Amino acid sequence: MDDREIRPNRYMNPYVAGVLLGLVLLASFLVLGAGLGASAGIARIAAGAEMCVLRSHTLASEYFGSWGTQPLRYYLVFMFVGIFVGALFSALLAGRIRPSLERAAGVSSRTRVILALVGGILVGFSSRLASGCTSGQALTGSAQLMTGSFIFLICVFVGGYGCAYLVRRQWND
């Protein structure tokens, strides 16, 4: 069996995973009094990195400066690091780590990487502009029965299906 024939272990049942995610969200509300999200943790990690290089500039920043001299002391930073380490550990145990770059036949590797970076930057900027990411809106906001979060979820699914319909022929190879 060569490297191309490696088959990873099965994925977790999505219904079980959903129930477990709901229990984690419930635990977050009960223990911390707050929900889950990711963008605030990433933004605080960026503030911590900038603090190491340009401390006075970071503290004077209207955005990063409001978090004080220890921006990494925030529960979402620990959650983000825990998710990364847990996902890496899970992937190692399941034998799913095999670096690759997925792309359509008509798209070069360079174009794929550039588009992925631009998309990631836009999503990151948008999540901070909106003061929350999809995790915060979909999980935490829906659990709190917020109308805006339900509208957001509807828009995400409609937009996702619409985009998938428009680009579906690019991935038929």
Side-chain angles (χ1 to χ4, degrees):
M1 182 187 294
D2 65 11
D3 288 338
R4 288 174 287 163
E5 294 179 18
I6 294 175
R7 290 203 167 88
N9 296 332
R10 290 179 31 149
Y11 291 101
M12 178 182 267
N13 179 311
Y15 299 108
V16 172
V19 169
L20 292 175
L21 181 57
L23 291 173
V24 168
L25 181 61
L26 177 62
S28 177
F29 278 121
L30 294 175
V31 173
L32 301 169
L36 300 174
S39 62
I42 296 169
R44 284 177 175 261
I45 290 170
E50 186 178 330
M51 185 83 70
C52 294
V53 180
L54 299 166
R55 183 178 181 85
S56 60
H57 174 74
T58 307
L59 291 172
S61 166
E62 186 177 332
Y63 185 70
F64 286 160
S66 64
W67 296 331
T69 58
Q70 297 180 330
L72 298 179
R73 285 194 158 178
Y74 189 62
Y75 79 102
L76 290 178
V77 172
F78 295 100
M79 184 200 78
F80 178 77
V81 172
I83 287 172
F84 179 81
V85 171
L88 180 62
F89 184 68
S90 172
L92 286 170
L93 285 178
R96 286 195 186 100
I97 293 190
R98 194 174 80 207
S100 65
L101 180 65
E102 294 182 17
R103 58 184 178 82
V107 177
S108 70
S109 295
R110 182 173 185 246
T111 300
R112 174 67 170 112
V113 168
I114 289 170
L115 289 174
L117 286 172
V118 169
I121 289 168
L122 286 173
V123 167
F125 176 77
S126 300
S127 69
R128 295 317 310 147
L129 183 65
S131 296
C133 59
T134 54
S135 303
Q137 282 283 2
L139 292 173
T140 303
S142 296
Q144 295 173 328
L145 302 177
M146 297 177 122
T147 305
S149 293
F150 287 119
I151 293 170
F152 168 80
L153 279 172
I154 291 167
C155 291
V156 164
F157 280 101
V158 168
Y161 279 109
C163 285
Y165 179 79
L166 292 175
V167 299
R168 70 188 185 285
R169 287 189 174 89
Q170 294 180 6
W171 288 86
N172 288 340
D173 35 59

